[in-house]
Amino acid sequence: MLFREKQQIMICIMAGVTVCVFVLFWYLPLRKRMKDIDQARSAQALAMARNAADSERLPLLQEQLLDLQSELGDYEAHIPEQRNVGPFLRGIADLMNEYNLKEQMVTPGPEVEADKFYCIPVSMQCKGSLTQLFKFYRRLQALDRWVRIEQVRLSNDGHYGGEVSMETKAAIYYRAKVGQG
């Protein structure tokens, strides 16, 4: 009887070990792999949904791109290849004179290289009415050479007589010629 009990215990131990080996080396890895596949499937479904949403937005983005391209036009036409700063600065001074702005000062700073363009900082100062300054900026914006306004400071005069002091930091650009820079 002792042998039979030992045999049954051994059979139970072998069955337990077999179940443990089955669970540890086959069922659990297979379960993890199925979970990974489900996650990958979910991620793929999410990516497909995003792509579908993006593809619906594509015509709208293309329309915006065309609008921006037409608005921007040929931007390089407004960035000359020559430095030619003198005539441009005289043009700014002429605009200031045209709008009867007082105490004018237009001074260029040292040139800075930026990518394929050169940038020349320009400081402008003058005094006039807010209407005159607004018209001046409007015309400055319409010039054939683009000006990037970086900073504007408007100060009312101490007597509140309607005269405003303007200080502006701007930048003008020109392209590097082939073989330059």
Side-chain angles (χ1 to χ4, degrees), residues 75-104:
Y75 76 94
E76 286 195 10
H78 294 283
I79 302 174
E81 286 188 358
Q82 314 87 2
R83 189 169 189 273
N84 233 6
V85 177
F88 183 73
L89 296 179
R90 277 191 297 281
I92 291 175
D94 291 343
L95 277 178
M96 287 179 173
N97 287 333
E98 183 179 329
Y99 292 108
N100 300 318
L101 299 172
K102 303 173 205 147
E103 298 180 26
Q104 303 171 11

Side-chain angles (χ1 to χ4, degrees), residues 118-129:
Y118 289 90
C119 171
I120 301 170
V122 176
S123 295
M124 296 181 273
Q125 294 179 352
C126 63
K127 286 185 177 183
S129 72

Side-chain angles (χ1 to χ4, degrees), residues 23-89:
V23 167
L24 288 176
F25 295 108
W26 190 74
Y27 177 75
L28 290 178
L30 188 61
R31 178 85 174 152
K32 183 182 179 323
R33 189 169 173 209
M34 287 177 59
K35 187 177 178 182
D36 291 344
I37 288 172
D38 285 344
Q39 286 178 344
R41 220 180 256 159
S42 296
Q44 189 175 26
L46 180 62
M48 288 172 59
R50 282 185 186 155
N51 288 343
D54 288 347
S55 68
E56 289 176 7
R57 289 185 29 208
L58 190 59
L60 176 65
L61 292 174
Q62 286 175 332
E63 182 180 326
Q64 287 176 345
L65 177 64
L66 290 173
D67 289 346
L68 287 173
Q69 285 175 338
S70 67
E71 184 178 316
L72 187 58
D74 188 16
Y75 76 94
E76 286 195 10
H78 294 283
I79 302 174
E81 286 188 358
Q82 314 87 2
R83 189 169 189 273
N84 233 6
V85 177
F88 183 73
L89 296 179

